[in-house]
Amino acid sequence: MLKQFGALPTERRARQMRDRDYLWCLVNQLLDDEEELGRMCPECRERALERRCPVCGAPARGTGGEVNASFDMERFLAMKGESGR
């Protein structure tokens, strides 16, 4: 949230913000984004909701951590103590 307002955590205005202030900003940003999407035609809305590369704008298919190919569920469960279940 501070990045959006160009504020550093050490600035007085940032230090004075409470949790409810951050929540208020976040909710209003979500509502603004929803309103902006509502003004778009269906094709543009669909394109706006696609995941894209932040640098070139190309569709970012298969990236972003949906599935971690190197994650070993069996090892995770064994370390968690649930290997026998």
XYZ file of all heavy atoms in Angstrom:
677
model
N 0.827 -1.183 0.000
C 0.000 0.000 0.000
C 0.876 1.253 0.000
O 0.575 2.204 -0.684
C -0.919 -0.041 1.222
C -1.974 1.009 1.233
S -3.140 1.056 -0.143
C -3.771 -0.579 -0.191
N 1.947 1.223 0.762
C 2.829 2.392 0.819
C 3.479 2.657 -0.530
O 3.684 3.811 -0.910
C 3.891 2.200 1.898
C 3.362 2.113 3.330
C 4.506 1.836 4.290
C 2.629 3.374 3.723
N 3.801 1.597 -1.268
C 4.406 1.760 -2.584
C 3.466 2.528 -3.511
O 3.892 3.382 -4.277
C 4.734 0.388 -3.175
C 5.402 0.454 -4.524
C 5.714 -0.942 -5.018
C 6.353 -0.892 -6.379
N 6.639 -2.233 -6.888
N 2.189 2.217 -3.432
C 1.197 2.880 -4.276
C 1.149 4.382 -4.000
O 0.939 5.180 -4.901
C -0.173 2.260 -4.043
C -1.237 2.818 -4.950
C -2.551 2.089 -4.781
O -2.687 1.212 -3.944
N -3.513 2.458 -5.587
N 1.361 4.769 -2.756
C 1.324 6.180 -2.391
C 2.703 6.827 -2.399
O 2.841 8.005 -2.085
C 0.687 6.354 -1.012
C -0.772 6.015 -0.990
C -1.232 4.908 -0.305
C -1.689 6.793 -1.672
C -2.569 4.580 -0.291
C -3.036 6.479 -1.665
C -3.483 5.368 -0.973
N 3.721 6.057 -2.725
C 5.074 6.585 -2.770
C 5.573 7.023 -1.399
O 6.234 8.047 -1.269
N 5.264 6.217 -0.393
C 5.659 6.554 0.972
C 6.601 5.489 1.525
O 6.447 4.303 1.237
C 4.433 6.659 1.866
N 7.545 5.924 2.300
C 8.444 5.002 2.993
C 7.861 4.674 4.362
O 7.195 5.519 4.965
C 9.820 5.628 3.158
C 10.596 5.891 1.872
C 11.870 6.678 2.184
C 10.934 4.596 1.171
N 8.113 3.461 4.866
C 7.576 3.101 6.189
C 8.052 4.024 7.309
O 7.408 4.129 8.342
C 8.087 1.676 6.406
C 8.447 1.169 5.063
C 8.812 2.361 4.233
N 9.177 4.703 7.102
C 9.718 5.578 8.140
C 9.112 6.981 8.113
O 9.332 7.756 9.043
C 11.241 5.697 7.975
O 11.533 6.132 6.636
C 11.920 4.359 8.225
N 8.354 7.305 7.067
C 7.744 8.633 6.990
C 6.650 8.784 8.047
O 5.985 7.821 8.409
C 7.138 8.867 5.605
C 8.169 9.039 4.523
C 7.522 9.337 3.177
O 6.532 10.101 3.132
O 8.005 8.795 2.174
N 6.474 9.995 8.498
C 5.497 10.288 9.541
C 4.097 9.855 9.122
O 3.374 9.225 9.893
C 5.517 11.789 9.856
C 4.582 12.172 10.957
C 4.732 13.638 11.311
N 3.702 14.010 12.247
C 3.061 15.152 12.222
N 3.360 16.048 11.312
N 2.137 15.421 13.104
N 3.701 10.167 7.891
C 2.352 9.811 7.441
C 2.144 8.315 7.420
O 1.046 7.823 7.680
C 2.058 10.429 6.074
C 2.963 9.913 4.972
C 2.696 10.608 3.653
N 3.673 10.199 2.661
C 3.403 10.054 1.387
N 2.199 10.323 0.931
N 4.340 9.686 0.555
N 3.186 7.551 7.131
C 3.072 6.089 7.123
C 3.033 5.540 8.546
O 2.276 4.612 8.840
C 4.219 5.474 6.351
N 3.832 6.096 9.423
C 3.852 5.632 10.815
C 2.537 5.912 11.525
O 2.169 5.199 12.448
C 5.001 6.288 11.572
C 6.372 5.782 11.162
C 7.450 6.213 12.147
N 7.292 7.567 12.642
C 8.009 8.616 12.255
N 8.963 8.464 11.375
N 7.802 9.803 12.772
N 1.825 6.941 11.094
C 0.560 7.295 11.740
C -0.606 6.431 11.263
O -1.663 6.439 11.873
C 0.233 8.766 11.488
C 1.149 9.711 12.229
C 0.847 11.169 11.919
O 0.268 11.490 10.901
N 1.283 12.052 12.808
N -0.411 5.682 10.183
C -1.494 4.840 9.674
C -1.730 3.649 10.600
O -0.787 3.045 11.095
C -1.191 4.350 8.255
C -1.302 5.429 7.220
S -1.038 4.851 5.536
C -2.500 3.879 5.275
N -2.995 3.348 10.780
C -3.378 2.185 11.589
C -3.823 1.077 10.649
O -4.006 1.284 9.458
C -4.516 2.568 12.527
C -4.100 3.631 13.514
C -5.208 3.897 14.474
N -4.759 4.877 15.451
C -5.562 5.683 16.079
N -6.863 5.650 15.843
N -5.091 6.529 16.963
N -4.033 -0.093 11.207
C -4.477 -1.233 10.401
C -5.758 -0.905 9.646
O -5.915 -1.260 8.481
C -4.703 -2.463 11.277
C -3.411 -3.057 11.789
O -2.337 -2.729 11.220
O -3.454 -3.845 12.741
N -6.670 -0.203 10.301
C -7.942 0.131 9.640
C -7.720 1.064 8.459
O -8.466 1.030 7.487
C -8.931 0.725 10.634
C -8.521 2.079 11.159
C -9.569 2.644 12.087
N -9.161 3.972 12.500
C -9.339 4.452 13.695
N -9.938 3.719 14.626
N -8.949 5.671 13.985
N -6.698 1.920 8.523
C -6.393 2.810 7.406
C -5.910 2.016 6.194
O -6.298 2.304 5.060
C -5.335 3.843 7.802
C -5.791 4.738 8.937
O -6.985 5.095 8.977
O -4.949 5.079 9.786
N -5.067 1.022 6.449
C -4.599 0.159 5.359
C -5.770 -0.623 4.760
O -5.874 -0.764 3.547
C -3.519 -0.808 5.853
C -2.195 -0.143 6.089
C -1.753 0.155 7.371
C -1.378 0.204 5.024
C -0.529 0.770 7.579
C -0.149 0.820 5.217
C 0.261 1.099 6.510
O 1.461 1.703 6.709
N -6.638 -1.133 5.624
C -7.802 -1.876 5.155
C -8.706 -0.979 4.320
O -9.188 -1.381 3.259
C -8.575 -2.457 6.341
C -9.818 -3.267 5.997
C -9.459 -4.458 5.132
C -10.525 -3.707 7.265
N -8.925 0.251 4.774
C -9.754 1.203 4.039
C -9.172 1.456 2.641
O -9.904 1.451 1.651
C -9.846 2.502 4.824
C -10.641 3.573 4.154
C -10.157 4.614 3.427
C -12.059 3.702 4.106
N -11.175 5.390 2.936
C -12.356 4.845 3.342
C -13.105 2.958 4.633
C -13.654 5.258 3.092
C -14.399 3.376 4.397
C -14.657 4.512 3.632
N -7.874 1.674 2.570
C -7.219 1.911 1.279
C -7.345 0.696 0.366
O -7.627 0.831 -0.830
C -5.746 2.252 1.482
S -5.456 3.870 2.200
N -7.124 -0.479 0.913
C -7.188 -1.700 0.124
C -8.591 -1.934 -0.427
O -8.765 -2.231 -1.607
C -6.740 -2.901 0.955
C -6.776 -4.245 0.256
C -5.847 -4.259 -0.949
C -6.420 -5.349 1.210
N -9.598 -1.790 0.405
C -10.978 -1.993 -0.028
C -11.335 -0.999 -1.127
O -11.942 -1.361 -2.145
C -11.959 -1.884 1.162
C -13.397 -1.781 0.689
C -11.789 -3.069 2.101
N -10.963 0.255 -0.953
C -11.275 1.253 -1.965
C -10.528 1.000 -3.264
O -11.071 1.231 -4.349
C -11.009 2.662 -1.433
C -12.150 3.130 -0.574
O -13.211 3.465 -1.080
N -11.947 3.118 0.734
N -9.303 0.497 -3.192
C -8.565 0.158 -4.402
C -9.239 -0.994 -5.138
O -9.361 -0.982 -6.359
C -7.108 -0.203 -4.083
C -6.285 -0.525 -5.302
C -6.187 0.647 -6.267
O -5.827 1.737 -5.862
N -6.525 0.436 -7.523
N -9.697 -1.993 -4.394
C -10.407 -3.116 -5.009
C -11.702 -2.652 -5.669
O -12.038 -3.086 -6.773
C -10.701 -4.201 -3.965
C -9.494 -4.963 -3.443
C -9.901 -5.860 -2.270
C -8.855 -5.780 -4.533
N -12.423 -1.760 -5.015
C -13.659 -1.225 -5.601
C -13.368 -0.399 -6.852
O -14.100 -0.489 -7.844
C -14.414 -0.385 -4.571
C -15.030 -1.158 -3.414
C -15.587 -0.199 -2.370
C -16.105 -2.114 -3.903
N -12.297 0.393 -6.816
C -11.917 1.173 -7.991
C -11.552 0.270 -9.161
O -11.940 0.526 -10.306
C -10.739 2.099 -7.673
C -11.112 3.243 -6.746
O -12.321 3.491 -6.541
O -10.186 3.900 -6.222
N -10.806 -0.799 -8.868
C -10.426 -1.751 -9.920
C -11.652 -2.430 -10.511
O -11.758 -2.602 -11.730
C -9.467 -2.813 -9.369
C -8.110 -2.241 -8.990
O -7.808 -1.093 -9.383
O -7.356 -2.961 -8.290
N -12.595 -2.810 -9.651
C -13.824 -3.445 -10.115
C -14.639 -2.485 -10.988
O -15.182 -2.882 -12.023
C -14.647 -3.887 -8.908
C -15.860 -4.709 -9.245
C -16.574 -5.176 -7.997
O -15.938 -5.840 -7.163
O -17.769 -4.866 -7.861
N -14.696 -1.235 -10.580
C -15.418 -0.228 -11.362
C -14.766 -0.026 -12.726
O -15.446 0.077 -13.749
C -15.448 1.087 -10.596
C -16.213 2.192 -11.273
C -16.211 3.475 -10.466
O -16.147 3.403 -9.223
O -16.257 4.557 -11.087
N -13.439 -0.001 -12.753
C -12.719 0.168 -14.015
C -12.978 -1.008 -14.951
O -13.199 -0.823 -16.153
C -11.223 0.313 -13.745
C -10.410 0.636 -14.969
C -8.951 0.897 -14.654
O -8.632 1.288 -13.518
O -8.132 0.703 -15.564
N -12.981 -2.221 -14.414
C -13.280 -3.400 -15.234
C -14.719 -3.352 -15.747
O -14.993 -3.779 -16.865
C -13.052 -4.677 -14.434
C -11.616 -5.078 -14.186
C -11.557 -6.263 -13.225
C -10.899 -5.405 -15.480
N -15.617 -2.828 -14.943
C -17.014 -2.741 -15.337
C -17.257 -1.806 -16.501
O -18.262 -1.928 -17.211
N -16.367 -0.862 -16.731
C -16.507 0.084 -17.837
C -15.954 -0.476 -19.144
O -16.128 0.137 -20.188
C -15.790 1.394 -17.498
C -16.441 2.169 -16.368
C -15.879 3.573 -16.222
N -14.460 3.677 -16.474
C -13.548 4.004 -15.571
N -13.906 4.247 -14.339
N -12.283 4.087 -15.894
N -15.295 -1.628 -19.095
C -14.675 -2.200 -20.288
C -15.641 -3.113 -21.026
O -16.527 -3.720 -20.416
C -13.436 -3.017 -19.910
C -12.317 -2.235 -19.338
S -10.951 -3.350 -18.943
C -9.865 -2.238 -18.092
N -15.438 -3.241 -22.336
C -16.198 -4.214 -23.115
C -15.716 -5.614 -22.702
O -14.634 -5.758 -22.121
C -16.004 -3.982 -24.613
S -14.352 -4.371 -25.223
N -16.509 -6.652 -22.994
C -16.130 -8.010 -22.574
C -14.755 -8.463 -23.070
O -14.015 -9.111 -22.335
C -17.237 -8.892 -23.163
C -18.412 -7.989 -23.276
C -17.840 -6.630 -23.598
N -14.385 -8.109 -24.301
C -13.093 -8.536 -24.837
C -11.939 -7.869 -24.090
O -10.953 -8.511 -23.735
C -12.995 -8.229 -26.335
C -13.916 -9.067 -27.198
C -15.357 -8.525 -27.235
O -15.554 -7.333 -26.912
O -16.250 -9.297 -27.568
N -12.078 -6.573 -23.857
C -11.010 -5.852 -23.144
C -10.932 -6.294 -21.682
O -9.843 -6.390 -21.115
C -11.231 -4.346 -23.233
S -10.953 -3.686 -24.882
N -12.075 -6.573 -21.078
C -12.094 -7.041 -19.692
C -11.369 -8.370 -19.585
O -10.561 -8.583 -18.680
C -13.535 -7.175 -19.206
C -13.632 -7.526 -17.736
C -15.058 -7.618 -17.219
N -15.885 -6.523 -17.682
C -16.957 -6.671 -18.466
N -17.322 -7.867 -18.866
N -17.669 -5.635 -18.847
N -11.637 -9.276 -20.541
C -10.971 -10.574 -20.535
C -9.458 -10.410 -20.677
O -8.679 -11.049 -19.985
C -11.509 -11.443 -21.667
C -10.983 -12.852 -21.650
C -11.621 -13.709 -22.724
O -12.806 -13.497 -23.029
O -10.903 -14.579 -23.258
N -9.046 -9.528 -21.560
C -7.609 -9.283 -21.761
C -6.972 -8.653 -20.522
O -5.857 -8.978 -20.143
C -7.391 -8.385 -22.976
C -5.929 -8.235 -23.316
C -5.724 -7.814 -24.759
N -4.312 -7.840 -25.057
C -3.558 -6.751 -25.142
N -4.074 -5.570 -24.976
N -2.274 -6.857 -25.409
N -7.710 -7.744 -19.872
C -7.191 -7.082 -18.669
C -7.010 -8.067 -17.518
O -6.133 -7.877 -16.669
C -8.124 -5.948 -18.251
N -7.816 -9.111 -17.495
C -7.732 -10.087 -16.414
C -6.697 -11.175 -16.671
O -6.393 -11.961 -15.774
C -9.105 -10.721 -16.182
C -10.156 -9.765 -15.607
C -11.516 -10.447 -15.584
C -9.764 -9.279 -14.233
N -6.152 -11.222 -17.893
C -5.112 -12.205 -18.187
C -3.837 -11.873 -17.430
O -3.515 -10.706 -17.209
C -4.790 -12.206 -19.684
C -5.826 -12.839 -20.553
C -5.436 -12.781 -22.023
O -4.394 -12.182 -22.361
O -6.187 -13.323 -22.836
N -3.112 -12.922 -17.062
C -1.808 -12.716 -16.416
C -0.821 -12.365 -17.505
O -0.738 -13.021 -18.525
C -1.395 -13.986 -15.688
C -2.413 -14.310 -14.592
C -2.019 -15.455 -13.756
N -0.819 -15.088 -13.038
C 0.181 -15.935 -12.809
N 0.110 -17.150 -13.214
N 1.247 -15.550 -12.162
N -0.090 -11.283 -17.302
C 0.853 -10.808 -18.314
C 2.197 -10.499 -17.672
O 2.294 -10.182 -16.498
C 0.314 -9.558 -18.993
C -0.980 -9.818 -19.711
C -1.206 -8.806 -20.803
N -2.229 -9.289 -21.710
C -1.990 -9.912 -22.851
N -0.767 -10.108 -23.243
N -2.971 -10.322 -23.615
N 3.217 -10.542 -18.516
C 4.570 -10.184 -18.097
C 4.582 -8.691 -17.764
O 4.105 -7.883 -18.564
C 5.557 -10.479 -19.229
S 7.220 -9.858 -18.907
N 5.126 -8.307 -16.616
C 5.153 -6.890 -16.255
C 6.120 -6.067 -17.104
O 6.052 -4.843 -17.109
C 5.573 -6.893 -14.788
C 6.283 -8.182 -14.605
C 5.672 -9.149 -15.574
N 6.996 -6.716 -17.846
C 7.980 -6.001 -18.649
C 7.484 -5.789 -20.074
O 7.389 -4.665 -20.553
C 9.337 -6.743 -18.657
C 10.327 -6.033 -19.553
C 9.881 -6.880 -17.246
N 7.137 -6.879 -20.769
C 6.789 -6.757 -22.184
C 5.292 -6.855 -22.458
O 4.845 -6.537 -23.548
C 7.524 -7.811 -23.006
S 6.934 -9.495 -22.705
N 4.499 -7.325 -21.496
C 3.065 -7.442 -21.694
C 2.612 -8.723 -22.352
O 1.423 -8.914 -22.583
N 3.529 -9.626 -22.661
C 3.161 -10.901 -23.272
C 2.406 -11.765 -22.265
O 2.635 -11.653 -21.059
C 4.412 -11.639 -23.746
N 1.502 -12.614 -22.739
C 0.796 -13.501 -21.816
C 1.786 -14.338 -21.011
O 2.734 -14.888 -21.552
C -0.045 -14.389 -22.736
C -0.220 -13.587 -23.976
C 1.047 -12.788 -24.122
N 1.579 -14.412 -19.711
C 2.464 -15.147 -18.809
C 1.826 -16.484 -18.489
O 1.307 -16.697 -17.407
C 2.726 -14.332 -17.543
N 1.827 -17.365 -19.414
C 1.210 -18.680 -19.237
C 2.173 -19.619 -18.522
O 3.341 -19.689 -18.838
C 0.832 -19.265 -20.590
C -0.094 -18.367 -21.371
C -0.504 -19.028 -22.681
N -1.014 -18.075 -23.634
C -2.224 -17.555 -23.626
N -3.039 -17.874 -22.660
N -2.618 -16.700 -24.544
N 1.628 -20.322 -17.549
C 2.411 -21.329 -16.855
C 3.457 -20.781 -15.910
O 4.325 -21.505 -15.483
N 3.380 -19.506 -15.581
C 4.331 -18.939 -14.624
C 3.567 -18.380 -13.447
O 2.362 -18.282 -13.455
C 5.160 -17.817 -15.266
O 4.268 -16.784 -15.691
C 5.967 -18.309 -16.434
N 4.267 -18.010 -12.433
C 3.633 -17.375 -11.295
C 3.391 -18.294 -10.120
O 2.780 -17.911 -9.151
N 3.870 -19.535 -10.194
C 3.822 -20.407 -9.041
C 2.547 -21.208 -8.853
O 2.267 -21.631 -7.750
N 1.755 -21.426 -9.902
C 0.570 -22.246 -9.726
C 0.960 -23.640 -9.244
O 0.355 -24.189 -8.358
C -0.236 -22.372 -11.029
C -0.863 -21.089 -11.499
C 0.025 -20.362 -12.489
O 1.044 -20.927 -12.924
O -0.287 -19.225 -12.814
N 1.986 -24.218 -9.875
C 2.456 -25.549 -9.514
C 3.978 -25.494 -9.410
O 4.652 -25.061 -10.332
C 2.054 -26.594 -10.582
C 2.634 -27.954 -10.242
C 0.555 -26.656 -10.713
N 4.484 -25.934 -8.289
C 5.924 -25.990 -8.096
C 6.374 -27.401 -8.460
O 6.153 -28.349 -7.709
C 6.274 -25.655 -6.645
C 7.763 -25.640 -6.409
O 8.543 -26.075 -7.249
N 8.164 -25.146 -5.250
N 6.984 -27.564 -9.624
C 7.379 -28.878 -10.122
C 8.387 -29.563 -9.212
O 8.474 -30.794 -9.188
C 7.947 -28.746 -11.532
N 9.147 -28.821 -8.442
C 10.161 -29.438 -7.591
C 9.634 -29.756 -6.184
O 10.370 -30.276 -5.361
C 11.392 -28.529 -7.491
O 11.048 -27.320 -6.848
N 8.372 -29.451 -5.911
C 7.808 -29.745 -4.595
C 7.551 -31.236 -4.460
O 6.926 -31.860 -5.323
C 6.501 -28.972 -4.391
C 5.907 -29.177 -3.028
C 6.453 -28.565 -1.924
C 4.809 -29.996 -2.865
C 5.910 -28.757 -0.662
C 4.250 -30.189 -1.614
C 4.804 -29.570 -0.507
N 8.034 -31.821 -3.377
C 7.880 -33.252 -3.122
C 6.869 -33.441 -1.991
O 7.197 -33.287 -0.815
C 9.230 -33.856 -2.753
C 9.186 -35.361 -2.589
O 8.079 -35.941 -2.575
O 10.271 -35.960 -2.475
N 5.627 -33.755 -2.351
C 4.555 -33.886 -1.358
C 4.848 -34.999 -0.366
O 4.603 -34.855 0.833
C 3.214 -34.124 -2.057
C 2.051 -34.258 -1.089
S 1.789 -32.819 -0.018
C 0.800 -31.823 -1.095
N 5.377 -36.126 -0.827
C 5.687 -37.238 0.071
C 6.722 -36.825 1.118
O 6.582 -37.138 2.295
C 6.173 -38.443 -0.728
C 5.084 -39.096 -1.550
C 5.597 -40.311 -2.302
O 6.560 -40.947 -1.845
O 5.015 -40.603 -3.369
N 7.751 -36.132 0.690
C 8.783 -35.670 1.630
C 8.187 -34.660 2.611
O 8.475 -34.686 3.797
C 9.944 -35.043 0.866
C 11.066 -34.607 1.772
C 12.310 -34.223 0.989
N 13.363 -33.830 1.895
C 13.877 -32.622 1.967
N 13.474 -31.673 1.157
N 14.822 -32.331 2.842
N 7.329 -33.765 2.102
C 6.685 -32.775 2.960
C 5.863 -33.462 4.043
O 5.959 -33.137 5.225
C 5.796 -31.851 2.122
C 4.914 -30.960 2.930
C 5.429 -29.829 3.549
C 3.563 -31.238 3.091
C 4.622 -29.002 4.315
C 2.756 -30.421 3.841
C 3.286 -29.304 4.463
N 5.051 -34.459 3.641
C 4.231 -35.158 4.610
C 5.080 -35.943 5.602
O 4.750 -36.015 6.796
C 3.248 -36.088 3.889
C 2.153 -35.366 3.073
C 1.326 -36.382 2.292
C 1.283 -34.505 3.954
N 6.188 -36.515 5.125
C 7.078 -37.246 6.029
C 7.690 -36.310 7.056
O 7.757 -36.628 8.243
C 8.165 -37.952 5.233
N 8.118 -35.146 6.612
C 8.715 -34.180 7.535
C 7.665 -33.623 8.508
O 7.968 -33.295 9.649
C 9.378 -33.048 6.754
C 10.601 -33.500 5.994
S 11.325 -32.198 5.011
C 12.109 -31.230 6.271
N 6.434 -33.564 8.042
C 5.351 -33.069 8.859
C 4.895 -34.138 9.863
O 4.229 -33.842 10.846
C 4.192 -32.648 7.950
C 3.081 -31.935 8.633
C 2.057 -31.482 7.632
C 0.851 -30.878 8.314
N -0.236 -30.580 7.404
N 5.268 -35.387 9.602
C 4.899 -36.482 10.509
C 3.627 -37.183 10.106
O 2.987 -37.811 10.944
N 3.239 -37.078 8.845
C 2.006 -37.701 8.388
C 2.267 -38.775 7.332
O 1.390 -39.098 6.545
C 1.064 -36.656 7.797
C 0.614 -35.631 8.805
C -0.377 -34.660 8.213
O -0.903 -34.902 7.105
O -0.639 -33.631 8.838
N 3.453 -39.353 7.299
C 3.784 -40.314 6.259
C 2.986 -41.601 6.365
O 2.733 -42.259 5.383
C 5.279 -40.625 6.261
O 5.634 -41.154 7.523
N 2.541 -41.990 7.560
C 1.816 -43.226 7.747
C 0.318 -43.095 7.540
O -0.405 -44.053 7.704
N -0.175 -41.942 7.206
C -1.628 -41.761 7.080
C -2.124 -42.004 5.718
O -1.667 -41.803 4.726
C -2.001 -40.350 7.520
C -1.772 -40.168 9.002
C -2.241 -38.804 9.426
N -1.845 -38.643 10.815
C -2.053 -37.569 11.492
N -2.656 -36.562 10.973
N -1.675 -37.477 12.737
